[in-house]
Amino acid sequence: MNVRSTDRSLRWRHVSRHKLTDLHISSLPSYVTKKSRSLHRWFDDLRCPSFDWLQVEITSHCNASCDYCPHCGYRDCWQGQHMTLATFHNLLPVFRKTALVYLQGWGEPLLHPHFFKMVSLAKERGCRIGITSNGTLWDSYVCEQVVQHGLDIVAFSLAGTNDRQDSMRCGTSFKSVLESIRLLDLAKKKLGSTQPAVHIAYMVLRSGLEEVATLPFLLEGLGVTHVVLSTLDLVTDPRLLAETLQPKDEKEEHYIRSYLKDAVERGKKLGIEMHFRVASPDQERGMCTENVLNAAFVSARGEVSPCAYTSLPAAQRVSLATFQKQEITPRLTFGNVNERSLSTIWGSTGYRAFRHRHDTGNHHSPCLDCPKLLMG
C-alpha cells in the first residue's frame, strides 16, 4: 500500500468530520485545498438565499453632475471607483437564485470598461438584468450592443421636461435623453427584439411638480412602457429641502397626489404605466420600499448593505430628508464579498437581526427616520 496515499486518505477523513463551513481554506493542507474549495461552494449554493433583486453598483463614477445627487453634495469626499471583475465574479453564484440583477448604484453603468462582459456573465446565470442610465453615452452601436446582450430593463433618468431640468442635471439634456430612447427603440426594431423594456426613472421635484402632467405626451411613440415617479429623499444640501415632496398636512398631501394621479391617468391612456409613492405625515411606519427582507445592495468596493442609501461611497454619515428636516444617519454594511461570500454575509447574526427588526417593526438607526418607511 502506498503510505503517502494512505496518509492523505486519513487526513481527509479527519478533515471531513469537521463542519466545513467553519474551516479556513488557507489552513488546510495543499492536497485538500482544491476539494475543500469545491465543497465550500457546494455548501454556499445550498444555503444561498433567493433574492427578489440584487442592486450591484458596478461603478460609482458618473459623467453628469446633478444638483440633487450626492455626487455634488459630497464631491469633496466622494470615493468613485469601478467594481473589479474579481469582485463581480464573487457574486455570480448568487445570481442563479436572483430574479433581477440591477447593475447600477451611485454611478453611470456604461462608464465601466467591462460593462458588457459583466452583463454576459450575469445572463449566463439565468437572471434578468436591468440598469438605470443618464442617457449621455448612447449611440446606435451601444444601443445594438444592449439589445444583443439581452438586457431586460433599461431605465433613463430625468428630473423635468424643459430647460430647468437641464440646469439641474449638468452634463445631460432632456432632448439628448429622448434621442437616446429613440435610438434604442430603433435598435430593437432593427434586430427584431422586444427587449429591453424601456422605463423612465423620474425625479419629481417640488419646483417641477406641474411639469409631470406633460411627460406622457413627450414620451408617446418612443417605446417607453413604465415610468416611476420618485421623490427627493436624500438631501445633501439644506437648500434642497424646498425641493422635497413630503406634505406637512392632509391638504398639501391631496394637492401633491392630485398632480401625480393626473399624470398617471394621462399615461394610462397612452399605454404607459406610471407609478408613484408619497410619504404621508399620518402614515404609520410600514415595510421599507427598498424590500430589505428580500433584496440587498452591493457597492463597487464589494460591501453589502440593505440599500443604496446606507452605502454611499463618501462620508461616513449621510443625510435623509424627513418632512422638511434633515436626519443625519450612519452608513451600514454587514461585510464584503471579497472576504466572505454573499450567502455567508446574508446569514450572519448581525444581518439576520437587522432583518428581524424590520420584519417586526422595531426599526433602529439608520432606518428609524427614513421616509422609505412612510411611503403610501
Side-chain angles (χ1 to χ4, degrees):
M1 180 180 289
N2 187 305
V3 176
R4 179 170 293 183
S5 65
T6 303
D7 180 57
R8 289 181 179 178
S9 176
L10 289 172
R11 289 191 188 183
W12 176 249
R13 283 200 294 271
H14 174 71
V15 168
S16 66
R17 286 197 298 268
H18 292 77
K19 289 183 178 179
L20 288 171
T21 52
D22 295 334
L23 289 175
H24 295 285
I25 293 293
S26 60
S27 68
L28 292 173
S30 60
Y31 55 80
V32 297
T33 298
K34 186 175 181 181
K35 196 167 186 177
S36 298
R37 288 187 188 280
S38 177
L39 284 169
H40 267 271
R41 286 194 295 269
W42 182 73
F43 272 104
D44 259 354
D45 284 344
L46 280 181
R47 61 184 180 176
C48 179
S50 295
F51 290 103
D52 291 342
W53 70 75
L54 282 176
Q55 189 173 351
V56 180
E57 181 184 57
I58 60 174
T59 184
S60 51
H61 289 296
C62 190
N63 60 333
S65 183
C66 303
D67 289 350
Y68 54 82
C69 179
H71 271 274
C72 285
Y74 295 133
R75 62 167 60 90
D76 294 336
C77 56
W78 193 262
Q79 300 165 358
Q81 71 177 76
H82 294 317
M83 177 178 282
T84 66
L85 280 175
T87 300
F88 193 76
H89 272 275
N90 291 334
L91 295 169
L92 295 181
V94 184
F95 290 174
R96 299 181 191 277
K97 292 187 176 182
T98 303
L100 173 65
V101 173
Y102 214 78
L103 301 179
Q104 189 262 341
W106 294 110
E108 169 54 45
L110 288 181
L111 286 174
H112 200 293
H114 301 300
F115 170 73
F116 287 112
K117 182 176 180 63
M118 289 174 160
V119 171
S120 295
L121 288 169
K123 289 296 289 185
E124 289 171 3
R125 272 65 189 177
C127 55
R128 298 172 70 233
I129 304 295
I131 63 169
T132 297
S133 171
N134 59 31
T136 60
L137 301 174
W138 296 72
D139 56 21
S140 297
Y141 173 77
V142 169
C143 290
E144 290 185 16
Q145 287 294 301
V146 163
V147 176
Q148 290 171 348
H149 279 77
L151 268 82
D152 298 279
I153 300 170
V154 172
F156 291 93
S157 54
L158 289 169
T161 61
N162 54 31
D163 293 344
R164 185 195 59 80
Q165 194 263 185
D166 297 348
S167 66
M168 294 199 72
R169 290 171 52 83
C170 296
T172 75
S173 75
F174 181 74
K175 290 182 179 179
S176 67
V177 174
L178 292 191
E179 176 62 12
S180 296
I181 297 172
R182 187 186 70 82
L183 289 174
L184 182 54
D185 190 49
L186 288 175
K188 289 165 61 177
K189 291 174 180 176
K190 176 182 176 180
L191 297 171
S193 176
T194 59
Q195 299 295 98
V198 179
H199 297 187
I200 298 295
Y202 192 97
M203 176 66 71
V204 185
L205 302 173
R206 186 176 288 269
S207 61
L209 180 60
E210 296 179 7
E211 296 173 32
V212 181
T214 66
L215 183 63
F217 302 110
L218 295 170
L219 298 177
E220 185 179 6
L222 292 176
V224 175
T225 59
H226 291 76
V227 176
V228 177
L229 303 171
S230 301
T231 56
L232 185 61
D233 304 315
L234 182 65
V235 176
T236 58
D237 187 329
R239 290 174 294 182
L240 288 170
L241 279 171
E243 292 288 5
T244 62
L245 278 173
Q246 296 172 353
K248 61 180 180 294
D249 54 37
E250 186 175 335
K251 181 179 179 180
E252 187 177 25
E253 181 178 359
H254 176 75
Y255 168 80
I256 293 170
R257 288 183 181 275
S258 64
Y259 272 104
L260 300 179
K261 286 180 179 178
D262 181 51
V264 170
E265 289 303 315
R266 295 186 183 201
K268 188 181 298 183
K269 293 177 181 178
L270 298 175
I272 302 173
E273 290 189 35
M274 302 181 71
H275 308 273
F276 71 88
R277 291 177 182 269
V278 174
S280 171
D282 299 322
Q283 179 84 18
E284 292 186 6
R285 288 187 178 87
M287 294 304 297
C288 176
T289 58
E290 297 299 297
N291 192 27
V292 297
L293 299 183
N294 298 290
F297 178 89
V298 183
S299 75
R301 290 181 297 230
E303 295 174 339
V304 180
S305 300
C307 71
Y309 291 86
T310 54
S311 186
L312 280 174
Q316 290 298 310
R317 300 174 69 81
V318 301
S319 178
L320 294 172
T322 307
F323 300 109
Q324 301 299 309
K325 297 185 299 180
Q326 276 186 286
E327 303 290 346
I328 307 301
T329 63
R331 292 177 62 199
L332 180 64
T333 61
F334 290 100
N336 193 302
V337 296
N338 293 306
E339 300 165 1
R340 295 184 294 164
S341 70
L342 180 53
S343 297
T344 300
I345 294 170
W346 182 260
S348 65
T349 301
Y351 210 160
R352 285 189 287 110
F354 169 84
R355 295 196 300 274
H356 177 71
R357 289 197 297 269
H358 265 266
D359 198 25
T360 57
N362 183 25
H363 305 102
H364 291 193
S365 179
C367 303
L368 183 61
D369 295 308
C370 180
K372 296 294 184 183
L373 296 173
L374 302 171
M375 294 290 183

